Amino acid sequence: MKIFVETTIPSYLVSRPARDVVQMARQQTTRDWWESCRFDHELFTSQIVLDEAGAGDSNSAQARLELLEPLPLLEISSPVLAFAQKIINHGLLPIEADRDAAHIATATVHQLDALLSLNFRHLVNASIQGRLRRLAASEGYELPAICTPEELMDIN
């Protein structure tokens, strides 16, 4: 599969262990996927993800950027920007989630199979995804699966 890696993935990989049991489980699953499953796929990211990953604590930012460094960058082209703007204009995401709209648009326009994320507010959200799918189809695109590492684990 061709997979877009969004900012929350390297963030979970380098963060201190969570105290919350759900967050702790998500961190471990993300680490397990990264260590054992990522090589089965073609991974991509974008400059927007690099910009987000490079913000904040300098040690954590450096660690996030090192994880992302080997991944090819997808172009933030005019069609990507136009589709991201349509996501915002249609009210599918709030204006302050413009980077999340750009992640969706990048993965969609570049025809990837999946967008890997742990952003449950704006990305891994079935209600939003249904509306995104309809918008993508109306624009001639197919929305990639927007999912968590756990959903991409091969459990055979």
Side-chain angles (χ1 to χ4, degrees), residues 116-130:
L116 191 63
S117 177
L118 289 159
N119 175 337
F120 294 94
R121 185 170 188 186
H122 296 135
L123 300 177
V124 186
N125 181 313
S127 174
I128 293 171
Q129 286 180 39

Side-chain angles (χ1 to χ4, degrees), residues 74-82 109-110:
L74 296 173
E75 181 184 6
I76 307 299
S77 61
S78 295
V80 167
L81 294 173
V109 170
H110 286 281

Side-chain angles (χ1 to χ4, degrees), residues 35-97:
E35 291 170 9
S36 64
C37 300
R38 72 180 157 127
F39 299 108
D40 297 334
H41 307 285
E42 290 181 70
L43 305 183
F44 300 87
T45 197
S46 73
Q47 186 60 51
I48 295 170
V49 172
L50 295 182
D51 293 346
E52 288 180 320
D57 173 75
S58 61
N59 290 332
S60 296
Q62 181 178 348
R64 289 188 295 267
L65 291 172
E66 286 174 7
L67 289 171
L68 294 168
E69 193 274 327
L71 307 187
L73 296 181
L74 296 173
E75 181 184 6
I76 307 299
S77 61
S78 295
V80 167
L81 294 173
F83 188 54
Q85 190 60 53
K86 287 182 182 190
I87 291 169
I88 299 295
N89 291 347
H90 281 77
L92 303 181
L93 294 182
I95 195 162
E96 61 271 10

